[in-house]
Amino acid sequence: MTPVCSLPLDSSLPSPSLAVLGVFSVESHGDHESKRNIIRETWLPSVASSGQISAFFVLRGQGANSTVREAQQHRDIIFVDAPAKADRKTGPLYSLLNWMRCAVQTWPEVSLVGKADDDVWINLPGTAEHLRGSLARLQDSSHPAPPRMLWGIMETFGWNTSSGRPKGFSYKFGSSRRRRCLRYGDGGDYLFPTHFAKGPMYFVSRELVEQIANSSVVQAGMDAAIGSAARGLPWEDVFTGYSLSEVAQGQNLAFVHMGEVAFSESGWTHTAHAKLGTHTLLSLPFTPLGRSHYSHGVRSTSLVYHDKSLARLRGHHAWSTAHECRTEASQIRIACDDGPHVACNNATWRRCYYIHNGTRCPPERAGARRHS
C-alpha cells in the first residue's frame, strides 16, 4: 500500500490501547508554531502517562521545509501527503482524508481515530474515560454487536454534493424531529439531516474511518468540494458527518453527544443562560432555544476548551489541573433516542447523549466565586 504519511523518525512508535489523535496544524514559524508549543507545554505530556491515547500533530508535508527541524527535534509531527501551502478551502480536507488513511494503516488495532484543532486544550485522560465508558454503555443485550460510534459535540447540518458545501445552522443535534436522511433537489444533491461532531475534537470508530478512507464516493465528494467555485468553506467536520451518512455500515452505529458540560469555547454566551440557568442547560441533551450554548471558560468537568488565545489556554490548563472533577469510565451514563436515525445510505444509527451527574461532579467554572 502506498504510504500516505511520513511518521516521526523513532522506531519506538507508541501503540495506544484505545485511540490515536491527530492535532491538525499548518506550517508556520509564527502563530501555529506557538500553538504547538503551548500544547507541548500543557496537555500533550499526559500522553506518556495515559497509554490509552497517542497524539501527534498532523501537517501537510509537500513543501513543508520550514518545519523539518521542528519535527526532528520533537518527534511528534506526522506529515501527510498533501501541499503544505494549500488554502483554507482545500487544506483541511486534504489533511482529513490523508490522516484517516495514515491512522488506519499505522495503528490497525486501535478502537478509535480522533481529530483535533491546534487551538484547543484537551483533558486527554478524562477524554479516554469518556470514550471507554461510551463504548461500554453502547453494547448491551439489545445491541450485542461491538459499537461503532462518532463521538464529540454533535450538531446537525446538511450537505450539497453539487457545490461541495455544507448547509446548516437551522437545526441542532437532537432538536430536529427528522429521523431519516433524505435527498432533496432535482438531482438529489442535497442531503439532510447529516449529523457531525464539531471540529475542535472528535473521535470515530476505526472501522468507520476505514470505510471513509477506502470509499470512492467519499473521494469523489472531496474532489467536488475542492474543485467547487461555490462560496463558503467545505468544513472538514461536516464533511466527516456527510461521509458517514453516505458510506458507514455496521450493526451497532451510534452518534454520541459528549455533552455541553464537557465542552466550552471563547465567544458569547447564549441568552438562554440568563433565562434558564446554567444547571438547567447543562442537564439538557440540546439547547432548546436554537443555537447551542458553549459557555466562556473552562470548567472542572471540561474535556476540551477551544480558544484562539494562547495565554488563556495556558491559564486554563493550570486551573484545570488543580480543579478537575473526572468521571471514570464506569460512571459514564448515556441515553439514546427511542427511535433510530436512518442515514442516506439506509444505515441505522442511534442518537445518544452523555448524562452528567452534576451532584457527584458539579461543573465549577474557572474564576467563579466559591460560597462557604
Side-chain angles (χ1 to χ4, degrees):
M1 184 175 293
T2 303
V4 294
C5 58
S6 298
L7 302 174
L9 299 176
D10 190 338
S11 59
S12 60
L13 203 63
S15 300
S17 61
L18 179 64
V20 60
L21 174 65
V23 182
F24 286 19
S25 192
V26 298
E27 183 184 36
S28 169
H29 276 303
D31 184 46
H32 287 278
E33 185 178 13
S34 297
K35 291 176 180 178
R36 293 192 292 272
N37 285 332
I38 288 290
I39 290 174
R40 291 180 180 117
E41 293 173 16
T42 56
W43 61 266
L44 193 60
S46 65
V47 168
S49 59
S50 168
Q52 298 186 77
I53 302 177
S54 291
F56 295 89
F57 296 105
V58 175
L59 278 69
R60 297 183 293 276
Q62 296 177 9
N65 300 321
S66 65
T67 49
V68 170
R69 180 175 296 181
E70 179 188 350
Q72 292 173 340
Q73 176 185 355
H74 295 285
R75 297 185 177 184
D76 57 9
I77 294 177
I78 290 176
F79 291 107
V80 295
D81 187 19
K85 303 300 183 184
D87 60 20
R88 291 182 64 203
K89 188 181 80 168
T90 62
L93 290 183
Y94 281 135
S95 296
L96 176 71
L97 205 52
N98 280 288
W99 162 240
M100 287 183 167
R101 290 167 176 163
C102 175
V104 297
Q105 287 182 22
T106 309
W107 293 276
E109 303 301 324
V110 297
S111 298
L112 299 151
V113 175
K115 176 263 172 183
D117 292 335
D118 66 359
D119 54 357
V120 297
W121 170 86
I122 295 175
N123 179 342
L124 211 57
T127 296
E129 294 297 318
H130 269 250
L131 292 172
R132 289 174 50 234
S134 296
L135 289 171
R137 300 294 91 72
L138 289 172
Q139 190 171 16
D140 54 28
S141 58
S142 300
H143 304 87
R148 299 178 177 181
M149 71 175 180
L150 171 61
W151 180 96
I153 287 292
M154 299 300 303
E155 295 194 353
T156 302
F157 282 12
W159 187 270
N160 188 303
T161 57
S162 294
S163 66
R165 296 292 183 270
K167 183 177 180 181
F169 298 111
S170 296
Y171 292 91
K172 295 300 172 189
F173 183 73
S175 61
S176 171
R177 295 184 178 180
R178 303 188 189 192
R179 295 185 178 272
R180 175 178 290 273
C181 177
L182 297 175
R183 300 177 187 269
Y184 299 90
D186 295 337
D189 57 358
Y190 176 53
L191 283 64
F192 180 86
T194 56
H195 302 309
F196 71 98
K198 283 173 67 68
M201 184 183 74
Y202 61 87
F203 285 84
V204 189
S205 289
R206 176 185 47 79
E207 296 87 352
L208 300 181
V209 173
E210 289 179 344
Q211 293 172 14
I212 292 175
N214 297 324
S215 169
S216 59
V217 172
V218 172
Q219 182 64 56
M222 190 185 84
D223 293 342
I226 288 175
S228 174
R231 297 177 61 185
L233 297 173
W235 296 317
E236 78 281 357
D237 50 3
V238 189
F239 184 80
T240 300
Y242 153 71
S243 298
L244 290 171
S245 188
E246 286 275 43
V247 305
Q249 296 287 345
Q251 297 181 355
N252 189 1
L253 301 173
F255 304 108
V256 179
H257 182 54
M258 65 188 280
E260 295 177 12
V261 69
F263 176 84
S264 56
E265 59 186 358
S266 61
W268 50 266
T269 302
H270 199 288
T271 53
H273 175 81
K275 293 182 178 181
L276 296 179
T278 299
H279 293 287
T280 302
L281 277 169
L282 295 176
S283 69
L284 297 175
F286 62 88
T287 300
L289 301 182
R291 187 168 182 178
S292 293
H293 168 89
Y294 308 125
S295 66
H296 295 281
V298 73
R299 302 187 188 97
S300 56
T301 54
S302 291
L303 299 180
V304 57
Y305 175 67
H306 184 213
D307 198 327
K308 302 295 183 183
S309 168
L310 302 184
R312 281 198 295 267
L313 288 175
R314 182 183 282 112
H316 288 321
H317 172 74
W319 186 89
S320 181
T321 300
H323 295 85
E324 178 194 4
C325 185
R326 184 177 304 176
T327 301
E328 304 295 333
S330 61
Q331 299 167 328
I332 296 295
R333 296 292 179 266
I334 61 175
C336 301
D337 287 351
D338 293 334
H341 168 80
V342 181
C344 276
N345 67 341
N346 292 319
T348 299
W349 292 71
R350 286 185 287 167
R351 295 195 308 187
C352 305
Y353 315 88
Y354 166 62
I355 303 301
H356 181 69
N357 185 342
T359 301
R360 191 198 68 82
C361 203
E364 179 186 355
R365 191 188 309 277
R369 294 182 179 179
R370 297 190 177 194
H371 299 279
S372 56

